[in-house]
Amino acid sequence: MAQNKAAENGGFSFTRTGSMGRQGLPKIQTHPEATSEVCHDDSGTPVKAKTIDELHSLQKKKSSQPTTPINGKQGSFAAISEEDRQKQQLQSISASLASLTRETGPKVVKGDPARKSEGQKATHVEHHLYDASLFGVSDSALKFTHILYNLSPAELYEQAIKYEKGSFITATGALATLSGAKTGRSPRDKRVVKDEETENELWWGKGSPNIEMDEHTFLVNRERAVDYLNSLDKVYVNDQFLNWDPEHRIKVRIVSARAYHSLFMHNMCIRPTPEELLEFGTPDFTIYNAGQFPCNRYTHYMTSSTSVDLNLSRREMVILGTQYAGEMKKGLFSVMHYLMPKRQILSLHSGCNMGKDGDVALFFGLSGTGKTTLSTDHNRYLIGDDEHCWSNNGVSNIEGGCYAKCIDLSKDKEPDIWNAIKFGTVVENVVFDEHTREVDYSEKSVTENTRAAYPIEYIPNAKIPCVGPHPKNVILLACDAFGVLPPVSKLSLAQTMYHFISGYTALVAGTEDGIKEPQATFSACFGAAFIMMHPTRYAAMLSEKMQKHGATGWLVNTGWSAGRYEINRNRNILMHLMMLFDFLFINRGGGDSNLGHLPMLE
């Protein structure tokens, strides 16, 4: 009986018959025969791990890749084994990294080389290596290339903070990074291969953004980039999509050396579902971002250590000598400006939103003119802030995220953008408090071109999927720094085409590398730096679609009125324009070209 009672009490019993303890309390008697019972504070099962590495491995469970939320029916899983699927995936990546001289891709291993000690099993694919004595295979062919494939934001945070100097978590959870010496695009270093396919299709010559190079020079730079990427311990690979219209979707692969670049493109492109990733296959276009490594300045056509090269026939892009992430975004936009018109689809450098009644508005404008701010109107559904297509199906966003300027950002003026800068967002070249990590958005110590890249679903009123009906209003934005343009003007179709082709604005500081003061510029189609064909081709398509669908044109000045920007009494009018938009969206009828009866700003 005593033993049973002892067992019930975990091997101990109280007795009143023996000697008394202090303060008259009974002594505790132990019973050796009850030692088979375990005495502990909880009843949880002990962990199965026998080492710290095993314990850490139990912390992580297998999960699907993070995706862009898409409404509707998803694709089916490929009817092949997991092992065969991974082998095909790695063979595709290996082929992308193939050196032209070796004719075969590197030996690809999936996983971080730093985690080999954690007991994680790496998957790899080996290619036959030719006899070194015959073909002179370099040492890089003897090593594995570690691939970090479609990592989640959390994994990319870990990579950036651990391995990339200048990466920090801000007070709101965003990842703050530095883009190196280049804090803007380098349009004078952009080159396009001129070959039989592009010679008669692209816009060449005076005024064109397409500076030619031959295919041989492209292949020299491609080899330099691929060899650099293959020499690294690990590279990041993103397989993603462009264009939310499933009928005209483009598959892109981005191979990069920095976690920052991988997270940036994770946010800016459309993220595949797990089913779509299984069936991804061969990409339609590939980017090789070796921006940490310079090009050879003595190579033909090179004018600096930076080179951004497009080969439309090979469907490839090479980046050398610049780590500014915007080069990838705008490079793909140039590609869409080539591919989409060939399908009779108009590609647009514009923001886009939709009212509750389904009325869609397009906002054309260069960087810094207010496309992001005006398209991100909390009273309307956001379709996209920068790049769109207009097809027979309506409008569709090209991207899966937003790339917003952060200079002088405030919660009062732009609450949606302010709230979107949280975990998962990349903030470039911002300055923050050393202790609190609070970002000072007015600080320009690094550059005026501070940016935030975040998934479009971070905007509460984003329309997912990012497609809409045909636009009813086409709004041309011009940041006028010289006080010439009125705040708002209604345009005829002919006037719309005139302003669309001329594309007047003031290029503000920080938008491009080397710009310190506003400069008047005329950018065809409000995006001459990215168009590939002659501007009249895009204008003709826009005119046809506006006529067909009854869209109205507007010219909106988001710069300064009644004087130049230097004069203190004049103020930027962007914050005041929202009060005028009620007029734009409610009164769509006739009227004077210049809306003089609207309230003018002081």
Side-chain angles (χ1 to χ4, degrees), residues 427-465:
V427 284
E428 291 177 319
N429 302 316
V430 298
V431 177
F432 51 83
D433 184 274
E434 185 177 15
H435 175 61
T436 66
R437 296 294 196 265
E438 294 282 350
V439 177
D440 183 356
Y441 292 109
S442 64
E443 181 59 61
K444 308 172 185 177
S445 299
V446 180
T447 178
E448 284 198 26
N449 192 32
T450 52
R451 295 272 185 166
Y454 49 85
I456 194 167
E457 59 264 26
Y458 279 17
I459 301 298
N461 58 329
K463 185 182 182 299
I464 306 294

mmCIF file of all heavy atoms in Angstrom, residues 427-465:
data_model
loop_
_atom_site.group_PDB
_atom_site.id
_atom_site.type_symbol
_atom_site.label_atom_id
_atom_site.label_comp_id
_atom_site.label_asym_id
_atom_site.label_seq_id
_atom_site.Cartn_x
_atom_site.Cartn_y
_atom_site.Cartn_z
ATOM 1 N N VAL A 427 14.609 47.878 -48.880
ATOM 2 C CA VAL A 427 14.822 49.319 -48.982
ATOM 3 C C VAL A 427 16.282 49.558 -49.345
ATOM 4 O O VAL A 427 17.185 49.082 -48.665
ATOM 5 C CB VAL A 427 14.430 50.069 -47.689
ATOM 6 C CG1 VAL A 427 12.933 50.193 -47.572
ATOM 7 C CG2 VAL A 427 14.991 49.382 -46.449
ATOM 8 N N GLU A 428 16.490 50.287 -50.441
ATOM 9 C CA GLU A 428 17.828 50.488 -50.983
ATOM 10 C C GLU A 428 18.397 51.842 -50.582
ATOM 11 O O GLU A 428 17.728 52.874 -50.734
ATOM 12 C CB GLU A 428 17.798 50.435 -52.518
ATOM 13 C CG GLU A 428 17.514 49.075 -53.104
ATOM 14 C CD GLU A 428 17.441 49.145 -54.617
ATOM 15 O OE1 GLU A 428 16.872 50.109 -55.159
ATOM 16 O OE2 GLU A 428 17.956 48.217 -55.253
ATOM 17 N N ASN A 429 19.625 51.822 -50.088
ATOM 18 C CA ASN A 429 20.438 53.020 -49.903
ATOM 19 C C ASN A 429 19.828 54.043 -48.956
ATOM 20 O O ASN A 429 20.119 55.240 -49.057
ATOM 21 C CB ASN A 429 20.723 53.676 -51.266
ATOM 22 C CG ASN A 429 21.426 52.728 -52.220
ATOM 23 O OD1 ASN A 429 22.357 52.016 -51.836
ATOM 24 N ND2 ASN A 429 20.968 52.681 -53.460
ATOM 25 N N VAL A 430 18.979 53.599 -48.029
ATOM 26 C CA VAL A 430 18.397 54.513 -47.054
ATOM 27 C C VAL A 430 19.345 54.679 -45.869
ATOM 28 O O VAL A 430 20.264 53.882 -45.664
ATOM 29 C CB VAL A 430 17.027 54.008 -46.547
ATOM 30 C CG1 VAL A 430 16.021 53.928 -47.691
ATOM 31 C CG2 VAL A 430 17.161 52.664 -45.839
ATOM 32 N N VAL A 431 19.105 55.729 -45.098
ATOM 33 C CA VAL A 431 19.891 56.006 -43.895
ATOM 34 C C VAL A 431 18.994 55.782 -42.684
ATOM 35 O O VAL A 431 17.831 56.198 -42.685
ATOM 36 C CB VAL A 431 20.419 57.455 -43.906
ATOM 37 C CG1 VAL A 431 21.168 57.773 -42.620
ATOM 38 C CG2 VAL A 431 21.325 57.675 -45.125
ATOM 39 N N PHE A 432 19.516 55.100 -41.664
ATOM 40 C CA PHE A 432 18.696 54.790 -40.495
ATOM 41 C C PHE A 432 19.495 55.047 -39.217
ATOM 42 O O PHE A 432 20.731 55.118 -39.235
ATOM 43 C CB PHE A 432 18.194 53.342 -40.530
ATOM 44 C CG PHE A 432 19.270 52.323 -40.775
ATOM 45 C CD1 PHE A 432 20.074 51.846 -39.744
ATOM 46 C CD2 PHE A 432 19.480 51.840 -42.055
ATOM 47 C CE1 PHE A 432 21.066 50.923 -39.983
ATOM 48 C CE2 PHE A 432 20.477 50.902 -42.306
ATOM 49 C CZ PHE A 432 21.274 50.446 -41.261
ATOM 50 N N ASP A 433 18.755 55.178 -38.119
ATOM 51 C CA ASP A 433 19.380 55.394 -36.816
ATOM 52 C C ASP A 433 20.170 54.155 -36.411
ATOM 53 O O ASP A 433 19.671 53.034 -36.500
ATOM 54 C CB ASP A 433 18.309 55.712 -35.767
ATOM 55 C CG ASP A 433 18.908 56.043 -34.411
ATOM 56 O OD1 ASP A 433 19.160 55.099 -33.632
ATOM 57 O OD2 ASP A 433 19.104 57.230 -34.134
ATOM 58 N N GLU A 434 21.383 54.363 -35.948
ATOM 59 C CA GLU A 434 22.276 53.242 -35.630
ATOM 60 C C GLU A 434 21.715 52.359 -34.534
ATOM 61 O O GLU A 434 21.925 51.143 -34.545
ATOM 62 C CB GLU A 434 23.640 53.799 -35.213
ATOM 63 C CG GLU A 434 24.691 52.732 -34.960
ATOM 64 C CD GLU A 434 26.040 53.324 -34.611
ATOM 65 O OE1 GLU A 434 26.085 54.534 -34.289
ATOM 66 O OE2 GLU A 434 27.036 52.593 -34.648
ATOM 67 N N HIS A 435 20.985 52.944 -33.587
ATOM 68 C CA HIS A 435 20.477 52.179 -32.447
ATOM 69 C C HIS A 435 19.058 51.675 -32.685
ATOM 70 O O HIS A 435 18.781 50.478 -32.555
ATOM 71 C CB HIS A 435 20.519 53.042 -31.187
ATOM 72 C CG HIS A 435 19.897 52.389 -29.987
ATOM 73 N ND1 HIS A 435 20.365 51.211 -29.441
ATOM 74 C CD2 HIS A 435 18.820 52.753 -29.232
ATOM 75 C CE1 HIS A 435 19.617 50.866 -28.415
ATOM 76 N NE2 HIS A 435 18.671 51.782 -28.260
ATOM 77 N N THR A 436 18.137 52.563 -33.039
ATOM 78 C CA THR A 436 16.719 52.182 -33.167
ATOM 79 C C THR A 436 16.392 51.557 -34.508
ATOM 80 O O THR A 436 15.361 50.909 -34.647
ATOM 81 C CB THR A 436 15.819 53.407 -32.961
ATOM 82 O OG1 THR A 436 16.035 54.340 -34.036
ATOM 83 C CG2 THR A 436 16.107 54.077 -31.628
ATOM 84 N N ARG A 437 17.244 51.766 -35.516
ATOM 85 C CA ARG A 437 17.014 51.298 -36.886
ATOM 86 C C ARG A 437 15.799 51.984 -37.540
ATOM 87 O O ARG A 437 15.244 51.469 -38.508
ATOM 88 C CB ARG A 437 16.842 49.776 -36.935
ATOM 89 C CG ARG A 437 18.064 48.979 -36.519
ATOM 90 C CD ARG A 437 19.231 49.173 -37.493
ATOM 91 N NE ARG A 437 20.262 48.164 -37.323
ATOM 92 C CZ ARG A 437 21.340 48.304 -36.579
ATOM 93 N NH1 ARG A 437 21.526 49.417 -35.905
ATOM 94 N NH2 ARG A 437 22.244 47.342 -36.518
ATOM 95 N N GLU A 438 15.394 53.127 -37.013
ATOM 96 C CA GLU A 438 14.338 53.915 -37.651
ATOM 97 C C GLU A 438 14.931 54.602 -38.886
ATOM 98 O O GLU A 438 15.954 55.269 -38.814
ATOM 99 C CB GLU A 438 13.796 54.972 -36.682
ATOM 100 C CG GLU A 438 13.061 54.403 -35.474
ATOM 101 C CD GLU A 438 11.653 53.947 -35.809
ATOM 102 O OE1 GLU A 438 11.198 54.246 -36.937
ATOM 103 O OE2 GLU A 438 11.016 53.308 -34.952
ATOM 104 N N VAL A 439 14.234 54.480 -40.019
ATOM 105 C CA VAL A 439 14.730 55.052 -41.268
ATOM 106 C C VAL A 439 14.398 56.536 -41.325
ATOM 107 O O VAL A 439 13.277 56.951 -41.015
ATOM 108 C CB VAL A 439 14.120 54.323 -42.480
ATOM 109 C CG1 VAL A 439 14.579 54.975 -43.781
ATOM 110 C CG2 VAL A 439 14.504 52.848 -42.471
ATOM 111 N N ASP A 440 15.371 57.327 -41.745
ATOM 112 C CA ASP A 440 15.159 58.757 -41.979
ATOM 113 C C ASP A 440 14.995 58.950 -43.486
ATOM 114 O O ASP A 440 15.976 59.008 -44.230
ATOM 115 C CB ASP A 440 16.350 59.568 -41.455
ATOM 116 C CG ASP A 440 16.150 61.067 -41.611
ATOM 117 O OD1 ASP A 440 15.117 61.485 -42.186
ATOM 118 O OD2 ASP A 440 17.021 61.838 -41.173
ATOM 119 N N TYR A 441 13.748 59.052 -43.934
ATOM 120 C CA TYR A 441 13.479 59.116 -45.370
ATOM 121 C C TYR A 441 13.837 60.465 -45.984
ATOM 122 O O TYR A 441 13.854 60.591 -47.216
ATOM 123 C CB TYR A 441 12.008 58.793 -45.643
ATOM 124 C CG TYR A 441 11.663 57.348 -45.357
ATOM 125 C CD1 TYR A 441 10.881 57.003 -44.268
ATOM 126 C CD2 TYR A 441 12.141 56.332 -46.175
ATOM 127 C CE1 TYR A 441 10.574 55.675 -43.990
ATOM 128 C CE2 TYR A 441 11.843 54.999 -45.920
ATOM 129 C CZ TYR A 441 11.057 54.684 -44.817
ATOM 130 O OH TYR A 441 10.766 53.372 -44.564
ATOM 131 N N SER A 442 14.125 61.463 -45.171
ATOM 132 C CA SER A 442 14.540 62.757 -45.706
ATOM 133 C C SER A 442 16.048 62.830 -45.909
ATOM 134 O O SER A 442 16.547 63.764 -46.541
ATOM 135 C CB SER A 442 14.101 63.883 -44.754
ATOM 136 O OG SER A 442 14.758 63.771 -43.502
ATOM 137 N N GLU A 443 16.765 61.855 -45.404
ATOM 138 C CA GLU A 443 18.230 61.848 -45.476
ATOM 139 C C GLU A 443 18.689 61.430 -46.870
ATOM 140 O O GLU A 443 18.233 60.421 -47.414
ATOM 141 C CB GLU A 443 18.796 60.903 -44.419
ATOM 142 C CG GLU A 443 20.306 60.828 -44.390
ATOM 143 C CD GLU A 443 20.942 62.169 -44.126
ATOM 144 O OE1 GLU A 443 20.683 62.753 -43.044
ATOM 145 O OE2 GLU A 443 21.676 62.634 -45.014
ATOM 146 N N LYS A 444 19.608 62.207 -47.451
ATOM 147 C CA LYS A 444 20.091 61.963 -48.806
ATOM 148 C C LYS A 444 21.588 61.670 -48.830
ATOM 149 O O LYS A 444 22.242 61.863 -49.862
ATOM 150 C CB LYS A 444 19.795 63.174 -49.694
ATOM 151 C CG LYS A 444 18.347 63.633 -49.664
ATOM 152 C CD LYS A 444 18.169 64.950 -50.398
ATOM 153 C CE LYS A 444 16.734 65.459 -50.243
ATOM 154 N NZ LYS A 444 16.547 66.778 -50.899
ATOM 155 N N SER A 445 22.141 61.223 -47.711
ATOM 156 C CA SER A 445 23.585 61.034 -47.612
ATOM 157 C C SER A 445 24.113 60.053 -48.650
ATOM 158 O O SER A 445 25.183 60.260 -49.227
ATOM 159 C CB SER A 445 23.960 60.547 -46.210
ATOM 160 O OG SER A 445 23.588 61.486 -45.237
ATOM 161 N N VAL A 446 23.386 58.976 -48.900
ATOM 162 C CA VAL A 446 23.822 57.978 -49.881
ATOM 163 C C VAL A 446 23.398 58.395 -51.278
ATOM 164 O O VAL A 446 24.197 58.427 -52.213
ATOM 165 C CB VAL A 446 23.261 56.585 -49.526
ATOM 166 C CG1 VAL A 446 23.714 55.555 -50.554
ATOM 167 C CG2 VAL A 446 23.706 56.176 -48.136
ATOM 168 N N THR A 447 22.117 58.723 -51.435
ATOM 169 C CA THR A 447 21.566 59.128 -52.722
ATOM 170 C C THR A 447 20.166 59.678 -52.511
ATOM 171 O O THR A 447 19.521 59.388 -51.494
ATOM 172 C CB THR A 447 21.505 57.937 -53.702
ATOM 173 O OG1 THR A 447 20.909 58.359 -54.934
ATOM 174 C CG2 THR A 447 20.683 56.798 -53.129
ATOM 175 N N GLU A 448 19.691 60.462 -53.473
ATOM 176 C CA GLU A 448 18.282 60.866 -53.460
ATOM 177 C C GLU A 448 17.394 59.747 -53.976
ATOM 178 O O GLU A 448 16.193 59.731 -53.725
ATOM 179 C CB GLU A 448 18.088 62.124 -54.318
ATOM 180 C CG GLU A 448 18.565 63.394 -53.660
ATOM 181 C CD GLU A 448 17.976 64.631 -54.310
ATOM 182 O OE1 GLU A 448 16.881 64.514 -54.898
ATOM 183 O OE2 GLU A 448 18.599 65.694 -54.232
ATOM 184 N N ASN A 449 17.989 58.828 -54.701
ATOM 185 C CA ASN A 449 17.204 57.753 -55.324
ATOM 186 C C ASN A 449 17.048 56.575 -54.366
ATOM 187 O O ASN A 449 17.377 55.433 -54.690
ATOM 188 C CB ASN A 449 17.881 57.304 -56.621
ATOM 189 C CG ASN A 449 16.984 56.412 -57.456
ATOM 190 O OD1 ASN A 449 15.757 56.566 -57.451
ATOM 191 N ND2 ASN A 449 17.576 55.492 -58.181
ATOM 192 N N THR A 450 16.558 56.842 -53.165
ATOM 193 C CA THR A 450 16.256 55.750 -52.232
ATOM 194 C C THR A 450 14.963 55.077 -52.682
ATOM 195 O O THR A 450 14.015 55.736 -53.108
ATOM 196 C CB THR A 450 16.109 56.283 -50.808
ATOM 197 O OG1 THR A 450 15.169 57.364 -50.802
ATOM 198 C CG2 THR A 450 17.434 56.786 -50.284
ATOM 199 N N ARG A 451 14.912 53.755 -52.558
ATOM 200 C CA ARG A 451 13.794 52.988 -53.127
ATOM 201 C C ARG A 451 13.343 51.895 -52.168
ATOM 202 O O ARG A 451 14.105 51.407 -51.341
ATOM 203 C CB ARG A 451 14.215 52.339 -54.441
ATOM 204 C CG ARG A 451 14.552 53.305 -55.567
ATOM 205 C CD ARG A 451 13.332 53.666 -56.361
ATOM 206 N NE ARG A 451 13.641 54.499 -57.508
ATOM 207 C CZ ARG A 451 12.789 54.729 -58.504
ATOM 208 N NH1 ARG A 451 11.592 54.153 -58.482
ATOM 209 N NH2 ARG A 451 13.108 55.514 -59.494
ATOM 210 N N ALA A 452 12.090 51.478 -52.362
ATOM 211 C CA ALA A 452 11.529 50.335 -51.641
ATOM 212 C C ALA A 452 10.875 49.400 -52.644
ATOM 213 O O ALA A 452 10.075 49.840 -53.480
ATOM 214 C CB ALA A 452 10.509 50.788 -50.602
ATOM 215 N N ALA A 453 11.223 48.122 -52.574
ATOM 216 C CA ALA A 453 10.633 47.108 -53.450
ATOM 217 C C ALA A 453 9.838 46.138 -52.593
ATOM 218 O O ALA A 453 10.392 45.487 -51.714
ATOM 219 C CB ALA A 453 11.719 46.366 -54.226
ATOM 220 N N TYR A 454 8.530 46.051 -52.852
ATOM 221 C CA TYR A 454 7.663 45.202 -52.037
ATOM 222 C C TYR A 454 6.642 44.488 -52.917
ATOM 223 O O TYR A 454 6.288 44.968 -54.001
ATOM 224 C CB TYR A 454 6.950 46.037 -50.967
ATOM 225 C CG TYR A 454 6.284 47.301 -51.478
ATOM 226 C CD1 TYR A 454 4.993 47.279 -52.016
ATOM 227 C CD2 TYR A 454 6.948 48.516 -51.426
ATOM 228 C CE1 TYR A 454 4.396 48.435 -52.485
ATOM 229 C CE2 TYR A 454 6.362 49.680 -51.897
ATOM 230 C CZ TYR A 454 5.081 49.636 -52.427
ATOM 231 O OH TYR A 454 4.494 50.783 -52.904
ATOM 232 N N PRO A 455 6.147 43.323 -52.496
ATOM 233 C CA PRO A 455 5.117 42.616 -53.258
ATOM 234 C C PRO A 455 3.849 43.452 -53.348
ATOM 235 O O PRO A 455 3.501 44.185 -52.407
ATOM 236 C CB PRO A 455 4.871 41.339 -52.445
ATOM 237 C CG PRO A 455 6.089 41.185 -51.603
ATOM 238 C CD PRO A 455 6.566 42.569 -51.300
ATOM 239 N N ILE A 456 3.148 43.347 -54.450
ATOM 240 C CA ILE A 456 1.981 44.202 -54.664
ATOM 241 C C ILE A 456 0.870 43.911 -53.660
ATOM 242 O O ILE A 456 0.086 44.793 -53.321
ATOM 243 C CB ILE A 456 1.463 44.075 -56.116
ATOM 244 C CG1 ILE A 456 0.474 45.208 -56.417
ATOM 245 C CG2 ILE A 456 0.858 42.693 -56.363
ATOM 246 C CD1 ILE A 456 0.157 45.360 -57.881
ATOM 247 N N GLU A 457 0.837 42.692 -53.115
ATOM 248 C CA GLU A 457 -0.213 42.390 -52.132
ATOM 249 C C GLU A 457 0.012 43.100 -50.812
ATOM 250 O O GLU A 457 -0.859 43.069 -49.934
ATOM 251 C CB GLU A 457 -0.340 40.877 -51.923
ATOM 252 C CG GLU A 457 0.906 40.187 -51.430
ATOM 253 C CD GLU A 457 1.715 39.583 -52.557
ATOM 254 O OE1 GLU A 457 1.616 40.094 -53.710
ATOM 255 O OE2 GLU A 457 2.454 38.622 -52.300
ATOM 256 N N TYR A 458 1.171 43.764 -50.638
ATOM 257 C CA TYR A 458 1.388 44.574 -49.445
ATOM 258 C C TYR A 458 0.523 45.839 -49.456
ATOM 259 O O TYR A 458 0.378 46.492 -48.429
ATOM 260 C CB TYR A 458 2.860 44.967 -49.319
ATOM 261 C CG TYR A 458 3.749 43.883 -48.730
ATOM 262 C CD1 TYR A 458 3.324 42.557 -48.686
ATOM 263 C CD2 TYR A 458 5.001 44.180 -48.219
ATOM 264 C CE1 TYR A 458 4.132 41.573 -48.151
ATOM 265 C CE2 TYR A 458 5.820 43.203 -47.673
ATOM 266 C CZ TYR A 458 5.375 41.891 -47.645
ATOM 267 O OH TYR A 458 6.174 40.907 -47.109
ATOM 268 N N ILE A 459 -0.006 46.202 -50.609
ATOM 269 C CA ILE A 459 -0.956 47.310 -50.703
ATOM 270 C C ILE A 459 -2.348 46.746 -50.432
ATOM 271 O O ILE A 459 -2.800 45.837 -51.138
ATOM 272 C CB ILE A 459 -0.909 47.970 -52.088
ATOM 273 C CG1 ILE A 459 0.499 48.504 -52.372
ATOM 274 C CG2 ILE A 459 -1.931 49.100 -52.182
ATOM 275 C CD1 ILE A 459 0.978 49.567 -51.416
ATOM 276 N N PRO A 460 -3.047 47.230 -49.413
ATOM 277 C CA PRO A 460 -4.321 46.605 -48.995
ATOM 278 C C PRO A 460 -5.372 46.531 -50.097
ATOM 279 O O PRO A 460 -6.133 45.570 -50.162
ATOM 280 C CB PRO A 460 -4.794 47.501 -47.838
ATOM 281 C CG PRO A 460 -3.565 48.185 -47.345
ATOM 282 C CD PRO A 460 -2.675 48.359 -48.529
ATOM 283 N N ASN A 461 -5.414 47.539 -50.977
ATOM 284 C CA ASN A 461 -6.454 47.555 -52.004
ATOM 285 C C ASN A 461 -5.945 47.081 -53.362
ATOM 286 O O ASN A 461 -6.514 47.426 -54.398
ATOM 287 C CB ASN A 461 -7.033 48.969 -52.144
ATOM 288 C CG ASN A 461 -5.974 49.999 -52.493
ATOM 289 O OD1 ASN A 461 -4.830 49.853 -52.102
ATOM 290 N ND2 ASN A 461 -6.353 51.039 -53.216
ATOM 291 N N ALA A 462 -4.862 46.291 -53.368
ATOM 292 C CA ALA A 462 -4.365 45.736 -54.629
ATOM 293 C C ALA A 462 -5.367 44.748 -55.187
ATOM 294 O O ALA A 462 -5.970 43.954 -54.455
ATOM 295 C CB ALA A 462 -3.021 45.057 -54.411
ATOM 296 N N LYS A 463 -5.551 44.791 -56.490
ATOM 297 C CA LYS A 463 -6.468 43.867 -57.164
ATOM 298 C C LYS A 463 -5.693 42.629 -57.591
ATOM 299 O O LYS A 463 -4.785 42.710 -58.413
ATOM 300 C CB LYS A 463 -7.115 44.533 -58.382
ATOM 301 C CG LYS A 463 -8.167 43.663 -59.056
ATOM 302 C CD LYS A 463 -8.726 44.351 -60.287
ATOM 303 C CE LYS A 463 -9.819 43.469 -60.915
ATOM 304 N NZ LYS A 463 -9.284 42.146 -61.341
ATOM 305 N N ILE A 464 -6.030 41.498 -57.004
ATOM 306 C CA ILE A 464 -5.377 40.229 -57.317
ATOM 307 C C ILE A 464 -6.400 39.291 -57.959
ATOM 308 O O ILE A 464 -7.440 39.042 -57.373
ATOM 309 C CB ILE A 464 -4.806 39.565 -56.045
ATOM 310 C CG1 ILE A 464 -3.887 40.528 -55.290
ATOM 311 C CG2 ILE A 464 -4.068 38.285 -56.390
ATOM 312 C CD1 ILE A 464 -2.623 40.908 -56.014
ATOM 313 N N PRO A 465 -6.144 38.766 -59.164
ATOM 314 C CA PRO A 465 -4.991 39.013 -60.030
ATOM 315 C C PRO A 465 -4.991 40.426 -60.593
ATOM 316 O O PRO A 465 -6.034 41.083 -60.672
ATOM 317 C CB PRO A 465 -5.152 37.969 -61.138
ATOM 318 C CG PRO A 465 -6.614 37.673 -61.176
ATOM 319 C CD PRO A 465 -7.098 37.793 -59.758
#
